[in-house]
Amino acid sequence: MKKILFLIVFVVLVTSCKKKELPVVFKKYNETSEIEAQQNHKINRMRFKLIQSKYLDMNEVFKPFENDLAYFSEEDYNKLKPLLIEQDIPSIQKSVTEGKLTYEKIALFYLYRIRKFESNNDLALHSIIALNPNIIAEAKEKDKNRPDNIINTLYGLPILLKDNIDTKEMPTTAGAYALKDNKNTEDAFIVTKLKEHGALILGKANLSEWAYYFCSDCPVGYSAIGGQTLNPYGRKIFETGGSSSGSGVDVAANYAVVAVGTETSGSILSPSSQNSVVGLKPTVGLLSRTGIVPISSTLDTPGPMTKNVIDNAIFLAAMTGEDVKDSATKGHNQQINYLEGLNSATLRGKRFGVIKQLLNDSIYKVTINKLKNAGAEIVEFDPPQVELNGFLTLLNIDMKNDLPNYLKNYADKNVSIKSVQDVININLLDSLNRAPYGQQLFDGIVLDTTSTKTFNTVKEQLHANGVKYFKTPMDEYNLDAILSINNYYAGYAAVAKYPCLTVPMGYKKTGEPISLTFISQPFQEQKLLQLGYAFEKLTKVRKLPENYK
């Protein structure tokens, strides 16, 4: 009995004697000279008007974790780095089963890492909008109830959501001032599915405001709520891609295990490519859109953004399921093991379509030769000449109808806006802060008077043209996939509703990432993941951003 009492007293003393870390303070700074210098950037969209958010106080975001982080030191952080940085899900879970990690430590690690970089004004990426105040308690609960078979699961792992996806724990703003009070929502369908698989929602990622269908030719990755997201491979040098900018940046910088993005046209492919991460834009209808702030019910889809293909497969499986509130998912309730066949996946004998004009890109050309040497069959072709006339009309009319539907059925009842026009009006009350780059696309939505009959015709023609663009060569040459670069041809894939997987391909001489994008026919995600995995295994090019190691 005396021994037990002694041990208890000893543990208490050791715990209480652990050095308490000084609080970290996020400080605003004068960015005038920085903005002036940015006006010399060769890309117009990179000539920022501001970088820091006018509305977000990261001190408040981190307030719930002050006590927990006070006893998590730089030494603790450095001990965990080899177990978490750039590690895939199975490796992290293996460390948990071996007792090297706990879910509480994992959560603390990512909170510490985000704070470490985001509180440094020379390194901050402005890629986080909110953090789950209950994450530590939830992680402890996961530790307490950990099941046996966790290796290929998201159980207990912290993930980030693009901030247009509803969650109970945090506001869902779409980066917009007009949705700053959108606090009391239910979980989006995919969030419910992720939680059923044991995932922990760490927080919300910054994004291009209103998923980049708001202002015209404005910086990607900017939102009024989150500020200007920056690319870790070149802060203020390279674009982040959009609209899932924060999701791509956060995964690249290892701010979470994985992140969810959404895409209408290129919004997963672009930031994944620009930040050297693996991004999957699924077939429209594979994943539910319920509880996600929309642009287009015709084209929108969420999708996984990860550091590697195996994580992408695990993540995708955890989000799938038929949603009775989203007719696009009707009949797609089968649970597919996307890990199946990955280890045995090969490029040998696979037939890939290569668009001739892309061979002007030297990295793409070298990559195609690598595929040939690995036994793949390459077919060069010129794509069919088809137009995407009416694309903006499709987005305009869908958003004019879909946004009010979201606001009525899924937003916090205290949110006063009911329409696109309401958003325009509320921004005009303080446009310098709420819409510094204008709101031209929202103005266009209001002015678009396309009839229902014409809209349906436009939609049908766009879909037919998108399918023709890819299916014609796929059928003619019996292709497994067409190979693209980054988000090139994303518009055609969007209207065709074809899935795309982008995987890091290399880095330009400037250090800017570039990716190879596999495009296949509807509901062939498993094939895409197998091809992507075989390619990733062959090339192994992804590397950590230099200043975020």
Side-chain angles (χ1 to χ4, degrees):
M1 188 63 185
K2 285 182 180 178
K3 281 186 177 180
I4 293 171
L5 285 171
F6 172 78
L7 284 171
I8 292 170
V9 171
F10 178 75
V11 169
V12 170
L13 283 172
V14 168
T15 305
S16 62
C17 289
K18 188 172 182 182
K19 184 184 175 185
K20 187 173 182 178
E21 302 293 312
L22 293 171
V24 173
V25 178
F26 291 79
K27 295 178 181 177
K28 299 281 186 180
Y29 66 98
N30 187 332
E31 59 185 31
T32 304
S33 60
E34 196 173 8
I35 296 302
E36 286 175 359
Q38 202 67 22
Q39 304 318 299
N40 297 318
H41 202 288
K42 62 182 180 180
I43 300 173
N44 285 336
R45 294 193 305 194
M46 292 290 287
R47 295 170 187 169
F48 306 142
K49 292 184 178 181
L50 71 165
I51 293 174
Q52 300 168 99
S53 168
K54 303 281 188 181
Y55 299 104
L56 186 64
D57 182 354
M58 291 298 284
N59 291 300
E60 288 300 311
V61 172
F62 270 90
K63 202 166 188 177
F65 318 112
E66 277 181 3
N67 191 56
D68 290 301
L69 288 174
Y71 295 97
F72 188 86
S73 66
E74 182 77 7
E75 183 183 357
D76 295 326
Y77 168 76
N78 286 324
K79 280 181 182 176
L80 297 182
K81 275 178 74 175
L83 301 174
L84 290 166
I85 296 294
E86 291 295 289
Q87 298 300 312
D88 60 28
I89 289 170
S91 298
I92 294 172
Q93 296 288 33
K94 184 171 182 287
S95 292
V96 172
T97 61
E98 291 173 349
K100 297 174 183 176
L101 286 172
T102 66
Y103 297 123
E104 181 185 3
K105 284 181 181 177
I106 294 171
L108 284 167
F109 174 87
Y110 285 114
L111 289 171
Y112 186 93
R113 182 171 174 83
I114 292 167
R115 189 185 66 176
K116 177 183 175 71
F117 289 110
E118 293 306 300
S119 63
N120 182 334
N121 289 329
D122 294 323
L123 293 173
L125 301 169
H126 306 288
S127 54
I128 298 290
I129 278 185
L131 292 170
N132 174 8
N134 305 313
I135 185 76
I136 299 300
E138 291 171 8
K140 288 177 179 177
E141 185 272 331
K142 295 298 182 188
D143 281 321
K144 186 178 177 181
N145 299 299
R146 175 165 62 88
D148 293 329
N149 301 314
I150 58 166
I151 295 297
N152 293 324
T153 75
L154 287 172
Y155 183 90
L157 300 184
I159 69 171
L160 287 164
L161 305 172
K162 184 177 179 179
D163 192 29
N164 59 349
I165 302 171
D166 284 353
T167 47
K168 288 179 181 176
E169 297 89 355
M170 291 159 280
T172 300
T173 70
Y177 176 85
L179 285 181
K180 66 180 176 59
D181 294 322
N182 192 25
K183 297 174 181 177
N184 298 303
T185 67
E186 294 300 311
D187 286 333
F189 182 88
I190 60 164
V191 176
T192 300
K193 298 299 292 183
L194 287 166
K195 288 182 177 180
E196 286 173 2
H197 284 81
L200 293 175
I201 309 304
L202 173 61
K204 309 294 278 290
N206 200 2
L207 69 163
S208 306
E209 188 168 335
W210 293 109
Y212 207 56
Y213 203 66
F214 176 56
C215 47
S216 179
D217 202 33
C218 49
V220 288
Y222 171 79
S223 76
I225 298 296
Q228 181 61 56
T229 314
L230 300 173
N231 189 320
Y233 290 92
R235 286 178 84 253
K236 300 176 288 181
I237 300 170
F238 306 136
E239 290 192 292
T240 59
S243 63
S244 305
S245 314
S247 299
V249 167
D250 289 331
V251 173
N254 284 251
Y255 280 3
V257 178
V258 292
V260 184
T262 66
E263 175 153 331
T264 306
S265 175
S267 286
I268 289 172
L269 300 179
S270 166
S272 295
S273 303
Q274 284 294 122
N275 294 283
S276 200
V277 303
V278 177
L280 176 68
K281 192 278 284 194
T283 308
V284 175
L286 183 66
L287 300 180
S288 164
R289 291 85 52 84
T290 299
I292 299 176
V293 181
I295 291 178
S296 168
S297 56
T298 306
L299 306 181
D300 289 351
T301 179
M305 299 171 70
T306 60
K307 294 183 289 293
N308 52 70
V309 175
I310 194 167
D311 287 1
N312 212 278
I314 292 169
F315 201 12
L316 177 65
M319 286 190 279
T320 57
E322 184 174 13
D323 174 13
V324 295
K325 292 181 180 178
D326 184 349
S327 59
T329 67
K330 189 174 181 181
H332 304 303
N333 60 349
Q334 68 274 31
Q335 291 298 308
I336 296 173
N337 179 9
Y338 290 104
L339 288 176
E340 191 175 334
L342 281 193
N343 287 328
S344 59
T346 181
L347 298 169
R348 183 166 299 281
K350 297 296 185 289
R351 293 177 60 80
F352 295 116
V354 169
I355 297 172
K356 288 180 181 177
Q357 78 177 80
L358 294 184
L359 290 166
N360 293 325
D361 185 286
S362 59
I363 297 176
Y364 180 80
K365 189 173 183 178
V366 166
T367 299
I368 297 306
N369 286 329
K370 287 180 183 177
L371 293 173
K372 281 183 185 176
N373 293 336
E377 297 174 25
I378 302 299
V379 179
E380 296 179 19
F381 73 97
D382 290 311
Q385 296 300 303
V386 295
E387 301 295 329
L388 295 183
N389 296 326
F391 195 91
L392 290 184
T393 300
L394 170 60
L395 301 186
N396 284 346
I397 303 305
D398 262 351
M399 194 165 192
K400 184 182 281 192
N401 295 318
D402 295 339
L403 182 57
N405 180 62
Y406 167 85
L407 294 169
K408 179 182 177 182
N409 296 305
Y410 302 105
D412 188 316
K413 300 308 175 189
N414 292 319
V415 171
S416 61
I417 58 168
K418 304 297 179 189
S419 65
V420 171
Q421 183 65 63
D422 287 348
V423 177
I424 293 172
N425 293 343
I426 203 169
N427 285 335
L428 287 174
L429 297 174
D430 184 7
S431 58
L432 196 63
N433 289 316
R434 298 176 189 177
Y437 297 100
Q439 45 190 344
Q440 301 88 343
L441 295 179
F442 267 33
D443 290 334
I445 292 170
V446 172
L447 294 172
D448 196 324
T449 57
T450 302
S451 68
T452 301
K453 183 180 178 182
T454 302
F455 171 68
N456 288 332
T457 301
V458 165
K459 189 159 65 168
E460 289 168 11
Q461 190 59 54
L462 281 168
H463 179 64
N465 284 353
V467 170
K468 182 180 179 181
Y469 194 83
F470 294 117
K471 195 172 188 300
T472 301
M474 284 178 176
D475 289 348
E476 183 177 348
Y477 303 115
N478 190 29
L479 302 176
D480 289 288
I482 288 173
L483 302 179
S484 179
I485 297 173
N486 294 6
N487 61 320
Y488 297 8
Y489 313 110
Y492 291 97
V495 294
K497 303 183 182 180
Y498 276 25
C500 311
L501 177 73
T502 193
V503 182
M505 175 168 65
Y507 301 85
K508 301 174 187 177
K509 289 178 181 178
T510 58
E512 184 176 17
I514 184 171
S515 291
L516 186 68
T517 300
F518 298 79
I519 304 167
S520 196
Q521 296 196 44
F523 300 104
Q524 291 193 349
E525 283 79 7
Q526 189 159 32
K527 177 194 273 191
L528 285 178
L529 289 164
Q530 289 171 358
L531 296 173
Y533 184 80
F535 172 70
E536 180 184 69
K537 195 164 56 173
L538 172 72
T539 54
K540 296 185 177 74
V541 297
R542 174 176 156 76
K543 57 187 179 184
L544 254 176
E546 187 62 35
N547 294 325
Y548 299 86
K549 291 182 175 177

